[in-house]
Amino acid sequence: MSLPFSPSDPLYQLAIVLVAGIVGGELFSAIRLPRVTGWIVTGILLRATSGWHGEATGLSALSTEAFRPYMSFVLGYIAFTVGAALHFASLKNSGIRLGMLLLCEALITPTLVVATMMTLGAYLAPQQISLPTSVLLGAIAIAGAPGTTVLVIEEARAKGILTRTLLAAIPLIDMVAVGIFVFAAYFFAESGMSGGAWLNAGPVATASVAREFGLAFSVAAVGAVIALGLNRTVVSPAYLGPTMVALILGAWGAAKGLGASGILACSFAGILVSNLRHDTVRSTEAYLHSIGALLFAAFYTLAGMNLDVAMVRRVAGLVALYFLARFLGKYLAAFLAMSIAQAPVQIRNYLGLALVPHGGVAVGLILAVQANPRLADIAPTVTSVGLAALVINQLLGPSGLRLALKNAGEAGNGAPRLLDFLDENHITIGLVGGSKEEIIRTLTAQLYAMPDRPKVSQEVFVNKVFERESLASTCLAEGFMIPHAILDGGQAITGVLGLSSQGIDLDAPDGRPVHAVLLLATPQADRQRHLEVLAAFARAITRDAGLREQLYHARNAAHAYVVLHAEDSHDINYFLEDAITRA
């Protein structure tokens, strides 16, 4: 049945897409699958059925170009948010993990993809597979899916070392993917796909990568300085969120206008704002959180509509090889990197599965191949194999990520817990010192290097801790010490934990060496939680010898975090809502 008007208006079409996506997401959520998978499946079904009902819905006339600004904004917002997770002061204990992961991702994933496509792929389709095709597909395989990852983590209410590693690694992995892709694309384009000219193409390709990243960083830096400057001088706090939205729009638009990557520019903008003024990022996220579901539901439904499942049938063999090679490369790279970094076993075993989702950056790189006339000979194969495999990764990846979060014991940990303030970056291993004063000053310096440091001056805080210690020793039995101070300002409890496997002689009442020192800074408003923390640690340390030994002899901060936040540590780190319910 036809309508008495032509429903070709993009806003009308967007309404149809949004409603269909919301319904599809809720149906998938009802069967315990990620909503993002439901949105993508709904988009694929809308594309498949638009030919039947196009006259009534207007979707047969759906134009990708009509929604490109909307898609670009959501991609920019995703890139900005994920880039903001790279707050360097908060990642001091994650450096080895992230560095090894980036190195292994850059080497193992593309190498495995290229080797598979050049051997088995060339055997299946010798006319379609070449070295340039395989290398570009290998670069695209590195890219992750920041939007999908963030959505699944939020939906699973996940929190922990695996979650933190994912959020910090995804923007860096995408930057590695873009860098390798730009180098390879310019390399093969400049050489004219001819092996004889490859030696001369290297310098041009290297210069192109430097230009891409340089332009994106410059645009982000100028935009961030202007936005933060306006916030300090003209813009009231109520309009901080809209100002950051303008930064995202401006960074994307300016980068694209200069021929650089909008995703890179928005990622750099997020990194800069987060490290120059960290509280601004939280305000931006809070501002857009209320409409986040709307943004993502329409975005991923539209993404599903732009992926043609029919192409899977045409290159099914190559798609299967590419998907399996990428999956194996992701898993092996993550497993090897986490093994070298001595990450907890849960992270080592499940990080690779969590990295499977493939998203917007990959689509952008594929479109870049299509847009380059000098890559026209290989564009059809790269497009068909890359997009078809992306369909599979987007359908299976979110469920794999959710399974990884669950098996790592991090799903459902997003609710407030007693020791939320004691994350990995607030834990230090190898604590040394010859006296209480020296240790307290060492830990205080670490505490004041954190974004959530107390509002009072460092010297005032130290004097308050010494004053409390002079009244009575805060050394508990079994090698634990909790020096602390109650402060007039501040809103939430914070602190740092120092661990010494060898133990330090601090004249504890029971004569034992001290292995763990928890320095607490507590505002008057949070005294109740302060008492709960003291009581919980006192019970756990004196009664649970297993937990005590694991904590005292943790190999690194990540292992100590796992000990304190694991499911079997509920007595020491319980959910606050459970405590309220019991009370």
Side-chain angles (χ1 to χ4, degrees):
M1 182 181 72
S2 62
L3 295 176
F5 62 94
S6 177
S8 59
D9 186 84
L11 291 181
Y12 172 81
Q13 294 179 350
L14 184 60
I16 298 294
V17 169
L18 178 59
V19 172
I22 291 172
V23 172
E26 291 304 306
L27 290 176
F28 269 67
S29 179
I31 58 175
R32 299 181 181 277
L33 288 175
R35 284 186 176 86
V36 64
T37 303
W39 296 334
I40 294 168
V41 170
T42 300
I44 294 172
L45 293 176
L46 283 176
R47 179 187 179 112
T49 60
S50 62
W52 305 340
H53 306 292
E55 184 179 354
T57 64
L59 294 179
S60 61
L62 186 65
S63 168
T64 302
E65 290 300 320
F67 296 100
R68 187 174 296 278
Y70 173 82
M71 301 287 281
S72 297
F73 168 67
V74 179
L75 273 175
Y77 169 56
I78 292 170
F80 179 88
T81 303
V82 177
L86 283 173
H87 183 240
F88 298 122
S90 301
L91 296 173
K92 65 183 183 67
N93 285 330
S94 308
I96 296 178
R97 287 203 309 277
L98 293 176
M100 293 310 306
L101 180 60
L102 292 179
L103 178 63
C104 291
E105 276 277 9
L107 295 177
I108 296 176
T109 300
T111 299
L112 193 56
V113 168
V114 171
T116 301
M117 300 307 289
M118 287 297 294
T119 53
L120 298 177
Y123 175 78
L124 287 177
Q127 301 302 317
Q128 293 178 285
I129 295 300
S130 63
L131 181 60
T133 303
S134 302
V135 171
L136 289 178
L137 285 172
I140 293 168
I142 300 172
T148 302
T149 301
V150 170
L151 281 174
V152 175
I153 286 173
E154 290 180 350
E155 192 172 289
R157 301 180 73 189
K159 186 176 183 180
I161 300 298
L162 176 61
T163 302
R164 174 181 287 271
T165 303
L166 269 177
L167 291 175
I170 289 294
L172 295 175
I173 289 174
D174 281 350
M175 288 181 184
V176 170
V178 171
I180 294 177
F181 174 87
V182 170
F183 178 88
Y186 277 98
F187 182 86
F188 291 120
E190 190 67 25
S191 65
M193 315 299 286
S194 170
W198 286 352
L199 290 178
N200 299 322
V204 175
T206 302
S208 298
V209 174
R211 175 185 178 279
E212 183 95 6
F213 276 73
L215 283 175
F217 183 82
S218 299
V219 166
V222 171
V225 169
I226 292 174
L228 294 178
L230 288 173
N231 175 245
R232 283 182 175 273
T233 58
V234 178
V235 178
S236 67
Y239 282 87
L240 177 58
T243 304
M244 291 299 108
V245 170
L247 171 59
I248 294 170
L249 294 171
W252 184 284
K256 298 300 288 185
L258 293 170
S261 168
I263 291 175
L264 275 180
C266 290
S267 295
F268 280 132
I271 294 171
L272 289 169
V273 170
S274 179
N275 287 276
L276 292 174
R277 190 173 177 187
H278 191 56
D279 57 337
T280 302
V281 173
R282 297 173 183 170
S283 299
T284 306
E285 292 173 348
Y287 176 75
L288 288 174
H289 181 75
S290 60
I291 60 171
L294 180 152
L295 294 175
F296 293 127
F299 175 82
Y300 281 100
T301 305
L302 286 168
M305 293 190 70
N306 286 303
L307 299 176
D308 187 0
V309 180
M311 68 177 61
V312 177
R313 295 193 297 269
R314 297 197 294 268
V315 288
L318 293 179
V319 172
L321 285 177
Y322 182 60
F323 170 79
L324 292 174
R326 180 181 181 272
F327 177 87
L328 187 58
K330 287 283 182 181
Y331 189 85
L332 288 178
F335 188 91
L336 179 61
M338 295 304 100
S339 297
I340 296 173
Q342 296 187 325
V345 64
Q346 301 96 319
I347 287 75
R348 185 196 66 192
N349 290 345
Y350 296 111
L351 180 59
L353 181 60
L355 289 170
V356 169
H358 214 191
V361 174
V363 174
L365 298 181
I366 292 170
L367 293 178
V369 175
Q370 291 179 325
N372 192 329
R374 291 189 288 181
L375 299 176
D377 292 344
I378 64 174
T381 302
V382 172
T383 300
S384 58
V385 174
L387 286 181
L390 189 140
V391 173
I392 301 173
N393 280 310
Q394 281 287 43
L395 292 176
L396 301 181
S399 295
L401 169 56
R402 196 172 197 175
L403 179 64
L405 294 172
K406 179 180 178 182
N407 289 345
E410 298 189 5
N413 284 346
R417 303 182 82 181
L418 184 64
L419 301 184
D420 274 349
F421 67 92
L422 207 57
D423 61 24
E424 178 191 9
N425 298 305
H426 287 71
I427 301 174
T428 182
I429 304 295
L431 181 66
V432 294
S435 65
K436 289 183 181 180
E437 179 177 350
E438 183 180 348
I439 288 175
I440 288 173
R441 287 192 178 277
T442 297
L443 292 178
T444 299
Q446 295 176 9
L447 176 62
Y448 272 77
M450 297 291 131
D452 59 345
R453 56 185 173 272
K455 301 300 182 184
V456 301
S457 71
Q458 184 169 333
E459 194 58 33
V460 168
F461 174 75
V462 167
N463 289 334
K464 284 183 173 291
V465 175
F466 289 157
E467 181 181 339
R468 170 61 186 84
E469 196 68 26
S470 67
L471 298 177
S473 174
T474 57
C475 288
L476 306 178
E478 305 292 349
F480 199 82
M481 178 180 177
I482 311 184
H484 55 270
I486 306 298
L487 308 174
D488 293 331
Q491 296 296 322
I493 189 173
T494 186
V496 290
L497 175 65
L499 298 172
S500 169
S501 179
Q502 300 298 322
I504 306 170
D505 184 8
L506 296 178
D507 296 324
D510 62 356
R512 298 187 178 215
V514 172
H515 292 272
V517 180
L518 176 61
L519 178 67
L520 292 177
T522 305
Q524 287 284 357
D526 218 6
R527 288 198 70 155
Q528 180 58 39
R529 187 174 178 187
H530 173 86
L531 296 175
E532 291 180 12
V533 171
L534 297 181
F537 268 108
R539 287 194 304 269
I541 295 301
T542 56
R543 298 181 186 178
D544 192 336
L547 183 146
R548 183 171 66 242
E549 290 304 306
Q550 290 182 63
L551 182 63
Y552 289 176
H553 302 290
R555 293 197 300 273
N556 51 45
H559 280 93
Y561 177 93
V562 170
V563 171
L564 292 174
H565 294 264
E567 290 185 6
D568 55 3
S569 302
H570 188 266
D571 287 341
I572 189 175
N573 187 28
Y574 48 78
F575 290 103
L576 296 178
E577 58 188 27
D578 292 344
I580 294 172
T581 301
R582 289 197 302 268

